[in-house]
């Protein structure tokens, strides 16, 4: 193993609490395999300290950062430039530092699109999507799907008001194709048969509440592509029910890896070893 030196390029992950992040394993494995003098470090920082820590670190040898909960929106204030997609999503999960200047990106949506393409040769263009959720992941997926030509997007969240304001905001920023609907009641049952892709962007079904499912399983039907962004466990109850109902299924690990692959390209200008990234997250993921 190569030890860090003063020349080593650093990459950091900001978050709080960081817990068991898979990103250090994913990136450091590829840096090592490719013989690159880079090191990826988890940096747990509280919201009140974010500005001080960020301003200090960009004076060091950092090529960039990842950003996770709860800093993805606040960090926008510290960017010199913001990529148009991150501006629409209003959240940054990747930062590239060049010449002391910070440019913010959001690679979550690209991770989702690439995962669909590589695993099912599927695209969102011309498709009707039902997206469950109203948080950061739902916003990233809705924004990129609208930008990439989805025909219609239904946004369905437990707190309907959040879905309504997100739909109104993204309709104005992208294309006017997004409608908010309640999680219970007839609207969901009415729109389901016309959907091509269902995405769970809620945390329902995540460890340790693995018996939970975000939608009535009787609404699932053959041919529907069901994507669960939850990756712990790999096979959620939603995916198990969807498989039984004859749906095509996709878990969240691919999105995690492909958003990381895009960040890797931005920091290094080098093509990552995606298979090694998958192997690293498989090994580092908590076992059931
Ligand atoms: N695969 C990947 O790369 C990837 C990337 C990002 C996120 N994710 C996963 O996506 C999920 C959402 O992440 P996020 O960042 O969007 O989180 P978030 O901003 O905290 O949003 C959480 C969402 O889950 C909903 N929710 C929580 N508990 C619920 C319940 N009991 N019943 C119904 N809805 C419930 C919330 O509804 P309310 O608005 O009503 O509270 C909200 O819409 C997480 O599981 C995360 O691990 C995966």
């Amino acid at each position: 193993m190569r030890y860090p030196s003063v020349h080593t390029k650093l990459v950091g992950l900001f978050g709080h609490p960081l817990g068991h992040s898979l990103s250090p394993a994913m990136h450091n494995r590829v840096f090592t395999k490719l013989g690159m003098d880079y090191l990826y470090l988890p940096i747990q920082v509280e919201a009140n300290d974010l500005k001080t820590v960020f301003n200090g670190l960009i004076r060091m040898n950092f090529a960039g950062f990842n950003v996770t909960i709860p800093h993805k929106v606040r960090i926008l204030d510290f960017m010199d430039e913001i990529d148009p997609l991150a501006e629409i999503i209003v959240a940054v999960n990747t930062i590239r530092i060049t010449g002391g200047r910070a440019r913010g990106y959001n690679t979550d949506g690209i991770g989702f699109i690439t995962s669909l393409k590589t695993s099912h040769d599927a695209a969102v263009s011309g498709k009707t999507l039902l997206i469950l959720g109203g948080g950061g992941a739902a916003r990233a997926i809705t924004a990129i799907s609208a930008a990439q030509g989805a025909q219609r997007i239904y946004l369905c969240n437990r707190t309907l008001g959040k879905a309504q304001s997100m739909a109104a905001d993204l309709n104005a920023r992208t294309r006017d194709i997004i409608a908010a609907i309640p999680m219970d009641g007839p609207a969901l049952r009415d729109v389901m048969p016309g959907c091509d892709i269902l995405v769970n962007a809620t945390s329902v079904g995540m460890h340790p509440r693995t018996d939970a499912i975000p939608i009535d399983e009787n609404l699932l039907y053959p041919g529907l592509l069901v994507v669960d962004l939850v990756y712990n466990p790999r096979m959620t109850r939603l995916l198990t029910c969807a498989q039984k109902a004859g749906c095509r299924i996709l878990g969240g690990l691919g999105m995690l890896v492909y958003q990381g692959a895009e960040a890797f390209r931005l920091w290094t200008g080098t093509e990552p070893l995606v298979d090694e990234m998958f192997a690293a997250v498989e090994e580092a993921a908590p076992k059931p």
Side-chain angles (χ1 to χ4, degrees), residues 7-272:
H7 303 295
T8 302
K9 281 277 187 189
L10 303 170
V11 186
L13 167 64
F14 292 128
H16 193 280
L18 269 181
H20 186 71
S21 169
L22 301 177
S23 293
M26 179 162 76
H27 290 289
N28 284 325
R29 170 125 159 187
V30 181
F31 290 147
T32 304
K33 289 273 175 188
L34 290 177
M36 296 170 74
D37 192 9
Y38 278 74
L39 181 65
Y40 187 106
L41 300 164
I43 301 166
Q44 181 161 288
V45 51
E46 290 194 32
N48 283 343
D49 297 328
L50 184 62
K51 188 174 183 183
T52 312
V53 171
F54 180 75
N55 285 339
L57 291 184
I58 58 166
R59 287 167 178 72
M60 293 176 60
N61 205 18
F62 275 86
F65 301 93
N66 273 145
V67 188
T68 189
I69 288 169
H71 305 315
K72 284 185 177 187
V73 178
R74 174 85 202 292
I75 202 90
L76 282 161
D77 293 345
F78 314 145
M79 297 298 103
D80 297 301
E81 294 159 31
I82 300 170
D83 182 68
L85 185 59
E87 207 148 22
I88 292 171
I89 298 171
V90 198
V92 158
N93 78 333
T94 301
I95 300 167
R96 186 175 63 175
I97 308 288
T98 37
R101 290 178 65 78
R103 183 174 170 91
Y105 297 83
N106 192 306
T107 66
D108 277 338
I110 296 154
F112 168 74
I113 295 290
T114 312
S115 183
L116 275 185
K117 176 81 190 143
T118 50
S119 57
H120 287 285
D121 197 22
V124 294
S125 173
K127 300 286 179 5
T128 296
L129 285 88
L130 171 61
I131 298 175
L132 309 176
R139 188 172 173 105
I141 298 222
T142 306
I144 198 151
S145 300
Q148 294 214 350
Q151 187 180 35
R152 187 91 179 118
I153 301 175
Y154 296 105
L155 201 49
C156 181
N157 192 40
R158 176 179 61 177
T159 311
L160 180 60
K162 266 166 76 177
Q164 285 170 328
S165 53
M166 190 185 291
D169 184 53
L170 288 177
N171 275 333
R173 289 171 189 261
T174 58
R175 294 160 53 237
D176 192 359
I177 54 154
I178 307 158
I181 56 171
M183 268 221 162
D184 40 20
L188 183 57
R189 272 196 304 279
D190 291 348
V191 304
M192 271 295 282
C195 291
D196 303 294
I197 304 174
L198 165 71
V199 183
N200 175 34
T202 76
S203 44
V204 177
M206 205 163 97
H207 180 81
R209 296 277 327 276
T210 54
D211 59 328
I213 184 163
I215 192 169
D216 179 354
E217 62 187 82
N218 296 313
L219 295 176
L220 302 168
Y221 50 87
L224 181 66
L225 173 53
V226 176
V227 186
D228 201 334
L229 302 193
V230 170
Y231 51 81
N232 180 21
R234 296 281 303 277
M235 197 65 186
T236 59
R237 177 155 172 230
L238 172 64
L239 293 181
T240 306
C241 291
Q243 198 167 44
K244 258 192 229 153
C247 307
R248 294 181 295 156
I249 60 167
L250 177 61
L253 212 61
M255 173 171 159
L256 177 78
V257 167
Y258 289 114
Q259 66 74 31
E262 186 62 17
F264 189 100
R265 287 183 198 101
L266 288 167
W267 299 323
T268 66
T270 299
E271 195 52 34

